[in-house]
Amino acid sequence: MYLGLTGYNHESSAALVDKEGKLINYYREEVLSRIKGDKSFPKRSIKKILEFHNLTKSDIKSIAFYERPLTAFLTPLQVAAFNIPQSLPLISHQCRNFDKSSISCFLDLSKEFSGLEEKLIYLDHHLSHTLTALPYSQIQENLCSIVVDGFGDRSSTSICKVNDVYNINELWSCEYPVSLGLFYSAITDFLGFQVNEGEYKVMGLAAFGKKDSAVAKKVSDLIYWDHKNKKIISDMSYFKYHISPTDSFNNKLINLLGDPRNPFLSLLPEDDNFQHFADIAKGAQDKISEILCEIFKYAYSITRCKNFLFSGGVASNSAAISKIAELPFVDQIIVPPSPGDAGCSIGASYYAYLKNQKNLISNLPTPSIYPSRFNSNDQKLISKQIIASNFKLISSNSNDAIAKIVSLIKNGEIIGTVLNNAETGPRALGNRSLICDGLNKKAVKTLNTVIKNRSPFRPTAPCMKLSTAKKYYELRPELLGCYKYMNATCKCIDGSISNNFPTTHVDGTVRLQIIENDQILYKILTYLEKDNIDILANSSLNISGDPTSFDLIDGLMICSLRPLKYIFTDFGLLESLF
Amino acid sequence: MKKDNYRFLDVIQETACAEFGSALEMLAACKSSNKESLAYGYFEHSKDEYFHTSTFLSLLSKAGRKYPAVIARKFRINANSLITKGYVSSEGYLIEKMPLKDFIAYVYTNELLAKQSFEKIFELVKKDEKDANQILKIMKDELRHHGMAEKYFLKYYPRLQPWQLKMYRIRETIKNKGRKFYDKNLKFLDQVLKPLYFFMAYLASRIILLIDINGFKREGINLMEIKPKSII
């Protein structure tokens, strides 16, 4: 068995690959600790993996950590050292928190799981991303891997040629502090949202912005692609993320764009400053899309590959991916379901596996959509009194429960799901979801704003069968793999009724999920189609700002905190009596 | 705006973090229970703490709106700050670290201490009837949690006498005051030692500049062939 780990600088997680190279378990630390974006050493994830599979330390052959700790520690420090004295607070902070950096991985492993530390190996951060994306591709040779994130262990963007699984050559990189990810995060911060959490909101807000507005152009000028020298240029005088432990932008950016948004003020289309902030978001979103297209063009020119792996936090920008797919040379773009750093433990575990094979491997098996092992029956006993006091078991038979769910959805109800094994995240794909009739405006609005407490300007994703999607949306063949994981947006067909669906964003796009016939949502939709409901709205089972629910108790807790009446579990459909 | 005015935001932000931390502690306790009645009790307790968190977040939001964006931004709540601020230990949840008996005694004591803290917050918000009523309700909840912990403790650990519970309370009160004293002095010490930290940071930066990080570059290199034991 082979473990992969992430943590410290970014979201922590652990993944397990078996001796056949199959991903058999994966946990994000945040879903177990319930602390959103938890980046502490993933001890709960490791413990849960060891317990679930009844593994002893001797069963673990190798453990790979997703970055090279000393490089990750020294690179930002050296950049800061060039900016003395402004960067003294950052250098002081980093040095005093040395024990919280990834250098501690070895010590933490030896403290919590003594003996395992001897099996610890490391790989480059962007290689972790590449190896995370690779198994999701049917083609695993002669590919181009593009990784774009905030900061890895040295660079923020890289292009690699994947000749085969053992031969992954880096051809180009963009060195920190110039970073598309950190630029976008700084704008996220400026707009009053949390860094590493609010980037989705910026993407949603951008759809309301005007690209020709003066402020959008000002944002656009902050970072650009240098065609001559083939590199990203960023005017760092507007940013502070490389010199400050707390701030990502400085007064120069405030002088340029006006006051940042007060995070406690509402942000609704009818509010005074809404358009101004939407224009800022638009400037950042368009710029990201434009530079990504340039990176892909350059990648094609140096690799001549038409099939791309795309990963890193910026690959979560589903709106940008649809623009990239329009480039004429692109045949296919593969984005893993968890393109950010939390997914990197998957790549790290594959690395540990590959490094320990005597015979050469040509292909890594495609991981399941639901690799995170948990069954709600595991908590049925301990939840007995919670359920008896606050819930009613409507149906314990799976087929009967589905029939009832269909009837409830037709009546505009919203259903939560806690079903066998969970998604990699961050997108819920049916097993940790909130679903309702995707054509019912009231139900979709209630799901989005009442149950989830999300900003009203953020759209809810629709989910459907491929045949339905073809009727309403301009699907791109290059992105068919992405649609499975909600990784890319697409446009509604001109004049189609889909333009008026409640899941359609203000710019006429949707971030759809295409489901396959082995998924529970497929079964539900098959019944609903008889009543002309061919689209479900699907959002993650959580309250805005919290991690997605993982186990049964998390799901029951959401029912107790929000007006969610129904929850579908492995042992039946429950009705909340709260 | 006077600096003193930020104190209210600071108090509300810290209290929201503390309540959020408690909600997570109780949720963790619920999941690790081996009795369904205990799991139910902790589930209900956690639910209350989530509602308290939500109340304080609303208060924070209401107050934060009145401040300039540059100030208000500093009072956003980030879940990771629960760990950095010490509301959740980086070592794990209390139930993961201490015996159940100690955990119950901890809850018994801290709910009472929390109620006392809310009395001070009540004084800060009492001009607004709605806010004041919310705080009063939270105070009642805390007293109820305190009473339930006591009941459970005496039922399942009958050999322990009420006076022993009082000892727990005294111990926790002292620890709590100690924590506050430490935190206050740490902040003070931090300011005093700042020039020294910066001087050391300056020295560190001089050393770091001597390191040639060009060796970290990977262009033209097969990433799969770099030594797996290397941390560089």
Side-chain angles (χ1 to χ4, degrees):
Chain A
M1 297 286 190
Y2 306 91
L3 262 180
L5 306 179
T6 70
Y8 302 99
N9 292 325
H10 310 279
E11 301 154 297
S12 50
S13 65
L16 185 72
V17 160
D18 70 8
K19 59 183 182 189
E20 267 80 46
K22 196 175 163 201
L23 178 72
I24 56 168
N25 210 339
Y26 167 82
Y27 297 114
R28 284 174 177 241
E29 192 72 0
E30 68 168 25
V31 300
L32 302 177
S33 70
R34 308 307 302 153
I35 294 172
K36 179 86 174 165
D38 193 345
K39 50 187 182 179
S40 50
F41 174 67
K43 63 177 174 201
R44 292 183 186 89
S45 306
I46 301 172
K47 193 170 166 234
K48 199 160 177 67
I49 281 178
L50 296 179
E51 283 174 1
F52 188 92
H53 299 277
N54 204 13
L55 297 174
T56 62
K57 282 159 199 165
S58 60
D59 296 322
I60 304 291
K61 247 187 149 178
S62 178
I63 305 172
F65 187 64
Y66 80 128
E67 66 181 10
R68 305 225 179 239
L70 193 57
T71 318
F73 182 74
L74 285 178
T75 306
L77 273 185
Q78 191 162 66
V79 169
F82 281 117
N83 291 282
I84 293 275
Q86 297 94 319
S87 60
L88 279 173
L90 177 73
I91 298 173
S92 165
H93 177 270
Q94 293 297 91
C95 292
R96 289 170 66 193
N97 288 287
F98 177 81
D99 60 330
K100 294 182 185 80
S101 74
S102 54
I103 295 175
S104 298
C105 184
F106 182 89
L107 293 174
D108 284 336
L109 253 182
S110 64
K111 192 173 131 196
E112 302 284 343
F113 305 95
S114 177
L116 282 183
E117 75 280 6
E118 292 156 15
K119 301 172 184 182
L120 189 60
I121 57 173
Y122 308 92
L123 67 157
D124 278 28
H125 182 67
H126 282 197
L127 178 61
S128 302
H129 277 300
T130 298
L131 288 175
T132 302
L134 191 58
Y136 293 94
S137 172
Q138 297 299 317
I139 308 163
Q140 296 189 4
E141 52 184 28
N142 290 321
L143 288 158
C144 175
S145 169
I146 295 176
V147 181
V148 188
D149 59 10
F151 166 64
D153 39 17
R154 59 202 156 78
S155 56
S156 63
T157 305
S158 66
I159 298 172
C160 281
K161 172 89 188 285
V162 183
N163 296 308
D164 58 59
V165 291
Y166 292 101
N167 206 331
I168 299 172
N169 289 297
E170 185 167 302
L171 302 176
W172 175 89
S173 65
C174 169
E175 305 307 316
Y176 174 87
V178 175
S179 163
L180 276 185
L182 293 178
F183 159 76
Y184 204 76
S185 290
I187 298 298
T188 301
D189 190 19
F190 188 88
L191 292 172
F193 307 124
Q194 292 281 2
V195 170
N196 294 333
E197 193 188 314
E199 283 78 1
Y200 291 118
K201 297 180 187 173
V202 177
M203 195 170 64
L205 184 61
F208 292 86
K210 292 177 189 139
K211 68 175 177 184
D212 296 326
S213 66
V215 75
K217 284 181 181 163
K218 284 178 187 170
V219 174
S220 182
D221 290 342
L222 296 171
I223 190 165
Y224 64 93
W225 174 258
D226 178 348
H227 288 270
K228 195 178 162 197
N229 297 305
K230 308 292 179 200
K231 61 180 189 179
I232 304 167
I233 308 281
S234 174
D235 188 343
M236 295 307 296
S237 65
Y238 290 92
F239 302 105
K240 275 179 95 175
Y241 59 76
H242 59 305
I243 54 170
S244 163
T246 50
D247 300 319
S248 58
F249 59 88
N250 58 25
N251 286 338
K252 199 174 168 188
L253 192 72
I254 297 175
N255 293 336
L256 182 76
L257 305 178
D259 278 340
R261 183 181 150 257
N262 181 328
F264 298 112
L265 287 173
S266 71
L267 190 61
L268 299 169
E270 58 271 23
D271 290 337
D272 284 348
N273 273 331
F274 181 85
Q275 195 56 52
H276 172 69
F277 292 125
D279 291 345
I280 291 174
K282 178 75 176 165
Q285 178 61 32
D286 282 357
K287 200 66 194 185
I288 285 281
S289 302
E290 181 192 315
I291 295 177
L292 285 175
C293 286
E294 294 301 334
I295 293 169
F296 270 72
K297 282 183 203 168
Y298 182 55
Y300 175 64
S301 75
I302 56 174
T303 64
R304 307 313 291 178
C305 291
K306 294 182 169 189
N307 293 298
F308 294 88
L309 303 174
F310 184 30
S311 54
V314 178
S316 303
N317 195 311
S318 50
I321 292 170
S322 57
K323 301 263 185 246
I324 299 166
E326 291 172 14
L327 293 169
F329 53 83
V330 173
D331 275 353
Q332 187 182 213
I333 301 174
I334 298 291
V335 180
S338 184
D341 289 323
C344 277
S345 61
I346 296 174
S349 58
Y350 281 121
Y351 178 77
Y353 165 74
L354 289 168
K355 279 284 161 192
N356 282 279
Q357 297 311 302
K358 284 178 188 148
N359 302 320
L360 292 183
I361 307 292
S362 56
N363 260 52
L364 295 168
T366 309
S368 153
I369 301 180
Y370 310 107
S372 217
R373 307 289 287 272
F374 177 81
N375 189 298
S376 33
N377 279 306
D378 301 346
Q379 278 181 338
K380 193 180 171 188
L381 207 62
I382 199 67
S383 311
K384 208 172 164 185
Q385 195 172 337
I386 301 170
I387 292 170
S389 307
N390 302 311
F391 294 85
K392 190 167 94 184
L393 182 65
I394 302 181
S395 173
S396 56
N397 172 292
S398 174
N399 286 334
D400 183 47
I402 288 176
K404 287 206 165 72
I405 287 169
V406 167
S407 161
L408 288 165
I409 288 176
K410 278 195 283 187
N411 289 326
E413 293 288 352
I414 296 156
I415 317 285
T417 62
V418 182
L419 298 169
N420 194 27
N421 300 337
E423 296 84 339
T424 17
R427 274 105 189 206
L429 304 170
N431 282 15
R432 296 293 180 280
S433 288
L434 284 165
I435 52 169
C436 70
D437 175 359
L439 305 174
N440 182 331
K441 278 191 180 164
K442 194 178 162 205
V444 174
K445 193 178 173 192
T446 306
L447 185 158
N448 203 24
T449 56
V450 180
I451 294 185
K452 291 207 58 165
N453 200 20
R454 285 170 94 199
S455 322
F457 61 81
R458 292 180 67 197
T460 306
C463 115
M464 69 207 77
K465 296 177 182 176
L466 180 62
S467 53
T468 309
K470 282 178 180 169
K471 273 198 297 184
Y472 300 128
Y473 305 106
E474 290 176 9
L475 299 181
R476 297 207 65 97
E478 307 88 354
L479 297 176
L480 283 177
C482 290
Y483 298 143
K484 200 170 152 185
Y485 305 111
M486 268 191 212
N487 276 336
T489 58
C490 66
K491 287 179 196 158
C492 294
I493 293 172
D494 272 348
S496 158
I497 51 164
S498 58
N499 283 284
N500 297 320
F501 288 169
T503 49
T504 302
H505 204 17
V506 66
D507 60 354
T509 64
V510 290
R511 182 165 51 83
L512 85 172
Q513 178 198 0
I514 291 180
I515 45 169
E516 293 180 339
N517 57 8
D518 56 349
Q519 289 174 269
I520 196 86
L521 297 186
Y522 192 96
K523 208 170 177 181
I524 293 171
L525 267 173
T526 303
Y527 286 110
L528 283 169
E529 278 169 352
K530 290 170 194 160
D531 290 283
N532 296 321
I533 298 172
D534 50 4
I535 293 180
L536 289 170
N538 179 9
S539 190
S540 52
L541 180 66
N542 69 338
I543 303 168
S544 175
D546 280 349
T548 304
S549 286
F550 174 67
D551 57 27
L552 176 66
I553 290 175
D554 296 336
L556 300 178
M557 185 56 80
I558 289 190
C559 289
S560 76
L561 297 173
R562 314 296 300 178
L564 174 64
K565 274 188 83 179
Y566 301 95
I567 191 146
F568 185 28
T569 71
D570 295 305
F571 55 86
L573 179 65
L574 298 170
E575 181 182 353
S576 165
L577 305 174
F578 283 105
Chain B
M1 211 161 286
K2 281 182 188 174
K3 204 180 172 185
D4 278 359
N5 290 346
Y6 309 153
R7 196 180 156 260
F8 180 70
L9 283 180
D10 197 36
V11 168
I12 300 298
Q13 186 200 33
E14 293 294 325
T15 313
C17 284
E19 292 299 293
F20 191 15
S22 298
L24 297 179
E25 289 284 0
M26 293 305 138
L27 191 66
C30 169
K31 290 180 186 181
S32 60
S33 298
N34 50 12
K35 283 194 186 94
E36 47 186 87
S37 60
L38 198 57
Y40 173 65
Y42 286 131
F43 181 87
E44 292 294 319
H45 190 159
S46 178
K47 189 179 80 182
D48 288 345
E49 300 291 354
Y50 271 118
F51 278 125
H52 299 172
T53 310
S54 170
T55 301
F56 283 102
L57 289 178
S58 300
L59 284 174
L60 185 65
S61 178
K62 200 166 113 182
R65 274 173 227 161
K66 296 172 190 158
Y67 289 84
V70 282
I71 301 298
R73 291 177 65 247
K74 297 182 198 302
F75 294 94
R76 283 180 292 188
I77 289 182
N78 176 325
N80 264 300
S81 67
L82 294 186
I83 299 175
T84 51
K85 284 173 179 277
Y87 291 108
V88 172
S89 164
S90 57
E91 303 288 310
Y93 289 115
L94 294 169
I95 197 72
E96 296 169 331
K97 297 186 298 178
M98 55 170 65
L100 183 61
K101 188 179 76 178
D102 288 354
F103 180 73
I104 297 167
Y106 180 90
V107 174
Y108 162 82
T109 309
N110 277 279
E111 292 298 313
L112 198 61
L113 291 172
K115 195 240 164 198
Q116 287 161 5
S117 300
F118 291 133
E119 282 165 3
K120 289 174 192 160
I121 294 173
F122 178 79
E123 290 300 315
L124 293 174
V125 301
K126 67 180 178 189
K127 282 181 191 165
D128 185 312
E129 195 184 337
K130 196 181 156 202
D131 293 346
N133 284 337
Q134 282 182 315
I135 301 298
L136 281 175
K137 188 193 169 298
I138 292 174
M139 282 158 67
K140 275 183 196 165
D141 283 347
E142 303 293 356
L143 268 186
R144 185 163 46 84
H145 298 154
H146 166 78
M148 283 170 74
E150 183 180 22
K151 202 171 134 191
Y152 189 91
F153 193 93
L154 296 174
K155 183 179 170 188
Y156 287 94
Y157 301 99
R159 284 186 190 171
L160 289 166
Q161 297 301 310
W163 67 266
Q164 285 170 298
L165 211 44
K166 271 184 193 157
M167 290 303 290
Y168 268 112
R169 200 165 112 191
I170 293 166
R171 195 180 71 184
E172 273 306 313
T173 310
I174 293 168
K175 268 167 102 178
N176 218 25
K177 287 197 188 304
R179 263 198 300 268
K180 282 182 185 163
F181 180 78
Y182 176 76
D183 186 53
K184 200 174 170 185
N185 284 285
L186 194 70
K187 279 179 188 163
F188 172 71
L189 212 60
D190 209 42
Q191 288 304 313
V192 171
L193 294 176
K194 205 171 176 179
L196 180 66
Y197 289 146
F198 279 13
F199 177 67
M200 292 180 78
Y202 176 77
L203 287 181
S205 72
R206 296 292 99 189
I207 296 164
I208 290 161
L209 284 174
L210 296 175
I211 303 167
D212 178 15
I213 62 165
N214 283 330
F216 302 164
K217 288 192 174 167
R218 303 289 196 235
E219 272 179 41
I221 293 176
N222 179 0
L223 300 180
M224 291 295 286
E225 283 186 353
I226 300 168
K227 284 181 190 165
K229 283 281 178 190
S230 170
I231 57 170
I232 294 180

